Amino acid sequence: MAKIDVFDTTLRDGEQSAGVNLNHLEKLEIAHQLERLGVDIIEAGFPAASKGDLQSVKRIAESVKNSSVTGLARANRKDIDAAWEALKGSAEPRLHVFLATSPIHMTYKLKMTTDQVLEKAVETVKYAKKNFTHVQWSAEDACRSDKHFLVKIITEVINAGATVINLPDTVGYMTPEEYGGLFRFIKENVPNVDKVKLSAHCHNDLGMATANTLAAIENGADQVEGTINAIGERAGNTGLEEIAVALHIRDDFYRAKTGLKLDELKRTSNLVSKLTGMNVPGNKAVVGNNAFAHESGIHQDGMLKEKTTYEIISPELIGVQTNRLVLGKHSGRHAFKNKVKDMGFELTDQKLNEAFQMFKDLADKKKEVSDDDIFALLMEKQTEAEGVPTYDLKSLQVQYGMDNIPTATIAVVKPDGTYTQEAATGFGSVEAIYNTIEKLVEDSIVLLDYKIHSVGGGRDALAEVYVQVKYNDVQSSGRGTAQDVLEASARAYLDAVNRVRNVHQREKKKASV
């Protein structure tokens, strides 16, 4: 049974999804969950992209111990140096460097000849090997590259010290037969291919990312790359949860396995969904909410008689709990603390006390508090910045009538500690709230996107709001959770503002040092 390495790029390629904007605490939380899942390699970001990216990658590299942490770099010394600065404190410093090899990229983007690309690839791999033990080299747009040129350049970068060769389907162009054939061709024609691992990285533009990745495994791929929930640039990447479960269920066919802890998949999916604001479609393979739902009468009859008639994946396999400890207003601190631990959270004593109080407040309003409710509360508390002054919502009142102008009155404690109250109107209740907040922060805020969904079901369900805004010329996201839709909307907007302020405060501190 072949062991397939799992390379997760949720924090790099996944964060390139339109509208996704994670802060450093959220990235760290996802990285820790990926480590808990058993991912072999975590691509934590693109260190040269910004100071913020470099610092996020550095924090992840220094705190994750059971997974190898890597960063992306273009084929130049500046990027490689930035990556080393971010990754040198990791348990196993690893670099992912890429260079385009297709005629269309070399001609129009790089404006380089094949000889120049070959020389640049060898030069950068040699430079990277001075510090990095493991260097992964990617032939960007490999699937539209000349195969014989690929053989030549791969042979040379292996001689230069590369330890992993990635053949990405950068634009999601290939069919499974073609992609599998490319791996077979490379293995048969690169003379020193036995010195490296071959990696598959697929995009889903034509809906074939998972099929292509499995075809690569059939033809000798040693490593697969992808994201949780298949998020990523354009139509997304390969969903790692799909690959891991497919190899597990069909081990008779693929004769390969990953080292992932499959019962952590659902939690990882939920975490990434909440922090990115990208909801998982109900019919999403493996982790969608309908993945184990059976409505057809014929199917239900079969399931009642024998589950395997229509269910090839058990909910328990991916961590969906069927027997849950239900907490309510009579549950004590000990039961809550055990629930927090069971759900994989590690909170400081202060945050645990605050989360418990939030739980008790919610339990007074709801008969039963579900795991989804607790997960939402804990996630909000875990990713909350400590020691940074913020706009703190103290009260909210909205007046609305079909024949009246909606008016919102909001009181906050400002970052300087002053208590302030303002009121404003709008064409709707949410607009009135956001107009009021704009007056409170005394600056223009542009709303780019607004999403709302319920946490669980029922009339008393929590509301979760996700917004994208532009504030102080910075694009930011914010999340808010509350039983009331309007309160959740206000909290999400203030969260987005506070995130921008936190970034500015960190930059000021670094500048003063």
Side-chain angles (χ1 to χ4, degrees), residues 260 364 448:
L260 295 188
D364 283 337
L448 304 175

Side-chain angles (χ1 to χ4, degrees), residues 60-122:
I60 293 169
E62 291 172 350
S63 64
V64 170
K65 301 303 179 186
N66 297 315
S67 300
S68 180
V69 179
T70 189
L72 186 68
R74 292 165 295 195
N76 64 65
R77 296 192 174 197
K78 182 180 178 182
D79 277 24
I80 294 171
D81 290 342
W84 176 246
E85 176 62 27
L87 296 163
K88 62 185 179 183
S90 69
E92 185 186 48
R94 177 186 293 258
L95 180 70
H96 179 195
V97 62
F98 71 97
L99 186 61
T101 54
S102 68
I104 191 168
H105 276 250
M106 290 189 291
T107 301
Y108 296 103
K109 187 180 77 173
L110 300 179
K111 300 187 185 302
M112 295 169 68
T113 65
T114 54
D115 287 343
Q116 289 172 324
V117 168
L118 177 60
E119 182 181 353
K120 173 64 74 173
V122 171

Side-chain angles (χ1 to χ4, degrees), residues 362-380:
L362 180 61
D364 283 337
K365 301 171 186 174
K366 293 188 70 174
K367 183 177 180 181
E368 290 184 352
V369 180
S370 70
D371 282 5
D372 289 337
D373 293 329
I374 296 172
F375 188 90
L377 294 178
L378 293 176
M379 196 68 266
E380 186 174 322

Side-chain angles (χ1 to χ4, degrees), residues 421-483:
Q421 183 172 290
E422 284 285 0
T425 61
F427 287 106
S429 298
V430 173
E431 185 185 11
I433 290 170
Y434 289 173
N435 288 342
T436 306
I437 290 175
E438 194 169 86
K439 290 175 71 175
L440 286 165
V441 301
E442 300 176 343
D443 211 338
S444 174
I445 308 171
V446 179
L447 179 64
L448 304 175
D449 192 21
Y450 176 97
K451 300 174 186 174
I452 183 170
H453 73 279
S454 66
V455 178
R459 288 180 294 178
D460 60 354
L462 285 174
E464 196 166 57
V465 173
Y466 182 90
V467 298
Q468 281 277 323
V469 306
K470 191 172 184 180
Y471 172 61
N472 280 347
D473 293 323
V474 177
Q475 189 166 317
S476 175
S477 59
R479 292 190 323 278
T481 304
Q483 258 197 310

Side-chain angles (χ1 to χ4, degrees), residues 327-337 356 359-360:
L327 299 183
K329 64 180 181 180
H330 298 299
S331 299
R333 187 182 300 272
H334 183 68
F336 181 76
K337 187 175 181 179
F356 179 68
F359 158 72
K360 295 296 281 186

